[in-house]
Amino acid sequence: MATTTFAATAPTRHRIPTIEVPRGARLHRPLLWMVYLMATLVLVCTVGMVVDDRLLLGESVWLKPFKFGLAFVLYGFTLAWLLSLPHKGSRATWWMGTIFAVTGIADVGFIVVQAARGTYSHFNNSETDMFNVIGQKIFMSGVPGLFLANLVIVLILSWQRVVDRPTARAIHAGLALAVVGMALGYLMGFTGKQLVRDADGNVVELVAGHTVAGEADVSLAPRDAMGGMPITHWSTVGGDLRIPHFLGLHGIQVLLFAAFALAFAARRYRWLRSERTRAALVGILAVGYAGLLAISFWQAMRAQSLVHPDRDTLLAVGGLTAGVAVLLGAVCLTVRAKGRVAETDQRATLPVTAGTEH
């Protein structure tokens, strides 16, 4: 990734944004090593899903480490780039990034080993499996490490503007969304127990899960195995807390993409060349994304599947979409109108060339 700067040869009023890597920038090495390992894991799990037919909750034993590996590739690289930008407190953020990388490798490593063993990594309460007992203690201590390291980075960077205004707004909002997304993951621990079977057919007690069942569905039945969507395997019969968790974690990538897309579009559309205008658009998108995260969480907590929204959910999504569209339209119309007025005033003040006298 790169930061947004401006072409030096362009006039101040109509300067054209460009994307370039900061001079002397060096990506965070520990996070990069984590990204390399996770990318390798994604490839290994892809092969595993093809050659290994073992299942957990109706999905390949390798699907969970695949999804975790891909998520850490995206977030780890984004964080490595972010920490390469010049900022105050860089020594502290370097150590927090290192803690994040080491903890991430350890936690995903446990997920991989459990998948290879054909059993569960999350919420596994099997007390006869000593490897699981020890691994769960390490796992449960590692997850807070990821959250706290990310939280410290957010607190250090949230008051600093390390890049241009639109990108800075995307970073600040994206990091805040990531913290919320991580925090929402803890709520999965309160969804209730369920009895499931591992890949060998043995019954395993999970102390929690990711599916929120309705009031009539409070038994120990394996609710996480009931009706999964293609690829994501998000629940189609109940609320799924993985959805707001996912949206929160990857909001920063969505907002950074929007900031960079606006910078490229500004090369063609003059009214987008103002940092203030693009920052306003990114801010509106961030509010809209936060609203989508809130609606998905509200929907999941009501034991409602993403693919079976009720009237209230549809009204909330429609209202949010309309509100974001109105705000975006208002900014665009206002800026373009001001641009036309400025051009008219500029032409009106041009000197009139006198004709040749005879």
Side-chain angles (χ1 to χ4, degrees):
M1 292 186 180
T3 56
T4 308
T5 58
F6 294 94
T9 58
T12 302
R13 192 167 185 173
H14 302 295
R15 50 189 181 174
I16 302 176
T18 59
I19 304 294
E20 63 181 34
V21 177
R23 295 179 180 178
R26 184 177 180 180
L27 296 179
H28 191 279
R29 285 290 182 86
L31 283 170
L32 278 186
W33 278 111
M34 184 195 74
V35 169
Y36 297 149
L37 288 174
M38 297 300 172
T40 303
L41 173 62
V42 168
L43 296 176
V44 171
C45 290
T46 302
V47 175
M49 287 187 285
V50 175
V51 302
D52 191 342
D53 60 358
R54 292 179 300 162
L55 300 176
L56 288 174
L57 298 175
E59 62 186 37
S60 171
V61 295
W62 298 106
L63 181 60
K64 175 173 283 190
F66 172 86
K67 291 191 290 187
F68 270 82
L70 187 59
F72 271 90
V73 166
L74 293 174
Y75 195 81
F77 186 78
T78 303
L79 201 57
W81 164 76
L82 179 58
L83 297 185
S84 73
L85 301 174
H87 60 275
K88 297 178 181 178
S90 58
R91 183 180 296 275
T93 57
W94 187 92
W95 280 109
M96 291 301 103
T98 302
I99 291 173
F100 188 96
V102 173
T103 307
I105 292 172
D107 283 0
V108 176
F110 177 68
I111 294 173
V112 173
V113 173
Q114 291 292 78
R117 299 175 70 226
T119 190
Y120 302 89
S121 52
H122 287 71
F123 312 121
N124 191 333
N125 197 35
S126 177
E127 298 180 354
T128 58
D129 184 349
M130 290 308 299
F131 181 86
N132 176 71
V133 172
I134 297 172
Q136 287 295 331
K137 292 180 179 179
I138 298 174
F139 192 52
M140 292 175 65
S141 62
V143 173
L146 290 172
F147 176 78
L148 292 175
N150 194 75
L151 179 60
V152 171
I153 291 173
V154 171
L155 293 176
I156 292 175
L157 295 180
S158 60
W159 307 107
Q160 301 186 52
R161 180 179 160 186
V162 296
V163 282
D164 66 293
R165 187 181 301 176
T167 310
R169 185 157 295 177
I171 290 172
H172 295 160
L175 287 175
L177 287 167
V179 170
V180 172
M182 290 183 183
L184 291 179
Y186 283 99
L187 296 180
M188 297 181 194
F190 301 95
T191 55
K193 295 181 180 181
Q194 54 183 323
L195 295 179
V196 297
R197 292 187 182 274
D198 62 18
D200 297 323
N202 302 312
V203 176
V204 177
E205 181 188 69
L206 302 183
V207 296
H210 50 74
T211 304
V212 179
E215 292 182 3
D217 241 344
V218 292
S219 65
L220 295 178
R223 60 186 180 278
D224 285 350
M226 299 169 61
M229 295 170 58
I231 302 177
T232 62
H233 279 257
W234 291 338
S235 179
T236 59
V237 296
D240 200 318
L241 288 170
R242 291 177 299 181
I243 299 172
H245 179 62
F246 172 86
L247 290 175
L249 287 177
H250 298 294
I252 188 170
Q253 283 94 28
V254 174
L255 295 178
L256 282 174
F257 177 81
F260 294 154
L262 288 172
F264 277 115
R267 299 170 66 87
R268 181 174 180 180
Y269 302 102
R270 182 176 299 179
W271 64 275
L272 281 175
R273 293 177 188 172
S274 166
E275 279 194 15
R276 179 175 297 179
T277 299
R278 287 183 286 115
L281 294 175
V282 171
I284 294 170
L285 292 175
V287 171
Y289 195 93
L292 182 63
L293 170 61
I295 292 173
S296 69
F297 173 65
W298 175 56
Q299 184 182 23
M301 291 302 291
R302 290 186 295 133
Q304 185 181 114
S305 170
L306 179 70
V307 295
H308 298 299
D310 62 8
R311 178 175 173 273
D312 292 340
T313 301
L314 292 175
L315 285 175
V317 172
L320 176 66
T321 303
V324 170
V326 168
L327 291 174
L328 290 175
V331 171
C332 295
L333 291 176
T334 301
V335 172
R336 297 183 74 172
K338 288 182 178 180
R340 285 192 294 268
V341 170
E343 289 180 1
T344 301
D345 292 344
Q346 187 178 14
R347 285 195 295 267
T349 57
L350 291 175
V352 179
T353 303
T356 304
E357 295 183 2
H358 296 286

